[in-house]
Amino acid sequence: DKDRNPSNLFLFERYTSGTTGELFKTLRDERDWIVASPSCLFRNPVFSPPIIRDLLSRKSAVFLGTSGFRTVLRAFIRRLFSFSSLDLENRVLRESIYREISEARPALLVGFASHISRLAHYAVEDGAVLPLQAVFITSEAIPLEEEFFIEKTFKAPVINILSSSETEHIGFECNKNRGKFHVFSDRIILEVPKPDSAGEGEMIATVLDLRNTPILRYPTQVMGKIISGDCLCYCKL
C-alpha cells in the first residue's frame, strides 16, 4: 500500500508476544528496523567507532533465541540458534555455539538473558574460553549477580537492553550504575501516569520513529520510575 508505505519498501509483519493480554500485528519496513534496532545496539559507550566498523564489516554476531533480529541484521549475523534453555544440556549444541563464536572472533553474543546465563554456567563446566567483544542480553530480567557472573565468565561487558516487540529498543542498563537504564530519548517518550508514593508505576511508551504502525502511549507492562539529573557515568545519548 503506497499510501501507508510511500517509500515502497517491503513491509514485514511482526506479532506481539501477547504478554499484555492482547495479541496484535505491527508493520515495519526496513527503515523502521534500522532506526529502531541496530542503530541503538551500538550506542553504548563500550563501543568506539573503529570497533563498530569492524563488527559491522563482517558476520560477527551469534544469536541465541532472538529470531526477530533476523530480518534486518542478517548482514552481520554469523549464526542464529533457536532453542529452549533445556536444549543447552546437549553438549553437541554447546560445542556448535562455542565453535561459531570462536570463528567469528571477536564476536558479539546476543540472546535471551536466560539462554546466555545458562550458557555461561555450562561454559565454566566445559572449560570454554570464548573471544567475545560484548554480550547483549534481552527480553528477560535476571539478577545483577547473574550479569556479573556472565561478565566474569566471558570476560566481556554485558549490555542489558530494555525492549519489547511493540516498541523495539527502549534503552540500556548503565554499565556504571547497575539497575538504572539510559532511555533512547530521541525515539522513545516514557511516562509513568499513575505513580505510587515512591514515584514508581507502569511505564507508558510513545515511539517517535515507527512510521508504519504508530505506537502511542503503549502500556509496556514494565514497572519503573523516571529519574531526572545526570547519571554517575555522565553518558550523553
Side-chain angles (χ1 to χ4, degrees):
D1 186 337
K2 291 186 177 180
D3 292 332
R4 296 194 63 186
N5 187 24
S7 60
N8 205 29
L9 295 173
F10 180 76
L11 288 175
F12 303 100
E13 295 182 351
R14 183 162 185 176
Y15 289 87
T16 65
S17 63
T19 55
T20 60
E22 296 184 16
L23 183 66
F24 65 92
K25 178 176 69 178
T26 60
L27 296 176
R28 303 281 192 271
D29 62 26
E30 190 171 12
R31 176 207 167 274
D32 283 347
W33 282 104
I34 291 172
V35 169
S37 293
S39 64
C40 292
L41 288 177
F42 298 105
R43 290 165 67 175
N44 191 288
V46 303
F47 295 110
S48 65
I51 291 175
I52 295 172
R53 283 195 296 270
D54 173 60
L55 293 170
L56 293 179
S57 69
R58 56 190 176 83
K59 292 186 178 297
S60 60
V62 176
F63 279 62
L64 306 184
T66 50
S67 58
F69 286 100
R70 186 199 314 264
T71 313
V72 69
L73 303 183
R74 58 186 178 275
F76 82 109
I77 293 179
R78 178 178 180 86
R79 181 76 180 273
L80 188 150
F81 293 89
S82 184
F83 53 82
S84 71
S85 289
L86 290 178
D87 292 335
L88 284 171
E89 295 178 2
N90 186 327
R91 179 66 181 260
V92 174
L93 172 62
R94 300 200 304 272
E95 292 291 349
S96 180
I97 295 172
Y98 300 154
R99 182 169 58 254
E100 294 292 342
I101 292 173
S102 296
E103 292 179 359
R105 72 175 60 209
L108 293 176
L109 181 61
V110 186
F112 296 140
S114 59
H115 287 359
I116 291 179
S117 175
R118 196 173 180 90
L119 181 68
H121 284 273
Y122 276 118
V124 172
E125 180 182 313
D126 298 335
V129 178
L130 303 177
L132 288 164
Q133 185 75 55
V135 179
F136 288 97
I137 58 175
T138 69
S139 303
E140 303 159 319
I142 61 172
L144 282 178
E145 53 266 28
E146 275 300 296
E147 288 190 36
F148 294 136
F149 176 77
I150 293 168
E151 285 188 334
K152 180 180 179 181
T153 299
F154 291 139
K155 296 180 174 60
V158 168
I159 302 171
N160 186 2
I161 294 288
L162 177 62
S163 63
S164 74
S165 298
E166 299 80 16
T167 64
E168 302 300 335
H169 298 328
I170 296 172
F172 65 87
E173 185 177 25
C174 180
N175 293 74
K176 295 183 179 180
N177 196 4
R178 295 299 177 97
K180 308 295 191 300
F181 284 75
H182 292 287
V183 176
F184 299 125
S185 56
D186 56 338
R187 68 170 307 265
I188 295 283
I189 297 173
L190 280 184
E191 305 170 76
V192 181
K194 298 180 179 180
D196 60 18
S197 58
E200 297 183 357
E202 182 180 14
M203 293 191 293
I204 306 299
T206 294
V207 186
L208 303 174
D209 53 22
L210 297 180
R211 302 180 302 178
N212 295 288
T213 303
I215 304 295
L216 303 175
R217 306 199 79 238
Y218 183 80
T220 63
Q221 297 288 296
V222 175
M223 304 299 289
K225 65 186 296 185
I226 307 299
I227 302 175
S228 60
D230 294 329
C231 180
L232 296 176
C233 74
Y234 302 106
C235 177
K236 302 297 182 184
L237 285 179

